[in-house]
Amino acid sequence: MAGDPNPDAGGTDRATDRDRMVDRLVGAGHIERESTERALRAVPRHAFVPEGHRDAAYADRPLPIGGGQTISAPHMVAAMCDLLGLDPGERVLEVGTGCGYHAAVTAELVGDGNVYSVEYDPEHARAARERLARLGYDVHVRAGDGHDGWPEGALYDAAYLTCAAGEFPSAVVEQVRPGGRLLGPLGGQVQTLVLARKRADGRLEETEHGAVRFVPMRGGG
């Protein structure tokens, strides 16, 4: 994956900070797949964080990005990538682009042109599209209601939500191929990270992977 030729330019050694962050995640058992580890080492998280929070870019915690949204903690991005088990060439739908960091990590896993990301907030969508392009990531980003998915890019091998919903949106389920995977935080005040595999009959086989806390999904009527 081609990135910015010098994304770590600046006063501090951002690449070293990033490697130390990933080392801590590996040591704590938060990363299982080598491909996930490589992806997190490759993406300059500080480039996706508002300037006022960049000193904390490589801390393992969510950070505000404006508009009531956050960039997820690195361990959560790693866990979601591990659970989906993404491989090169797979086509992926992301619901909730935010600042674009998770989409960049996913693009490192599946390759150029294979990530389709829908963001409800038009300004976040515009900024993420420009940021990803500037850093060399070929990710499709558009503003829209994530409940509708992105039908023009279907069928997807996997889809994931970066915001909490009561259930997987029906349109998103329909746009995932039989045998494909869905992942997201489901619930209201109490949320659970749920991984689902779509059966040939369209039904979902779900497994739960712990309590989480995400901002609520917007839209849906």
Side-chain angles (χ1 to χ4, degrees), residues 16-202:
T16 298
D17 291 343
R18 185 161 63 253
D19 280 338
R20 287 173 177 166
M21 176 195 76
V22 178
D23 289 343
R24 291 192 296 269
L25 295 177
V26 172
H30 291 309
I31 300 177
E32 297 182 359
R33 290 169 58 97
E34 290 185 6
S35 57
T36 300
E37 178 183 343
R38 289 194 300 269
L40 263 71
R41 291 192 191 278
V43 180
R45 189 173 187 252
H46 66 276
F48 296 87
V49 172
E51 188 171 349
H53 295 280
R54 285 186 181 168
D55 286 347
Y58 294 107
D60 186 24
R61 65 174 187 263
L63 296 169
I65 60 171
Q69 295 194 36
T70 60
I71 178 174
S72 293
H75 80 268
M76 183 55 61
V77 175
M80 292 179 72
C81 291
D82 276 349
L83 284 168
L84 280 175
L86 299 170
D87 290 319
E90 290 196 298
R91 182 171 291 201
V92 182
L93 172 64
E94 176 186 66
V95 175
T97 316
C99 63
Y101 174 70
H102 199 148
V105 175
T106 301
E108 288 283 350
L109 293 167
V110 300
D112 285 339
N114 289 320
V115 180
Y116 292 73
S117 187
V118 183
E119 169 56 43
Y120 188 80
D121 186 304
E123 179 56 27
H124 277 312
R126 180 200 61 77
R129 185 185 306 111
E130 293 176 358
R131 183 179 299 113
L132 288 161
R134 185 172 66 250
L135 293 168
Y137 291 102
D138 181 7
V139 173
H140 307 280
V141 179
R142 78 175 184 188
D145 189 337
H147 291 86
D148 300 328
W150 193 329
E152 294 83 358
L155 291 171
Y156 300 100
D157 298 291
Y160 64 90
L161 314 180
T162 68
C163 42
E167 59 185 5
F168 292 111
S170 59
V172 173
V173 175
E174 291 172 4
Q175 292 166 27
V176 172
R177 66 169 175 81
R181 298 90 72 201
L182 298 98
L183 178 66
L186 302 186
Q189 292 292 330
V190 178
Q191 303 164 11
T192 302
L193 188 62
V194 176
L195 175 66
R197 185 169 294 274
K198 185 177 178 180
R199 301 187 344 183
D201 62 6

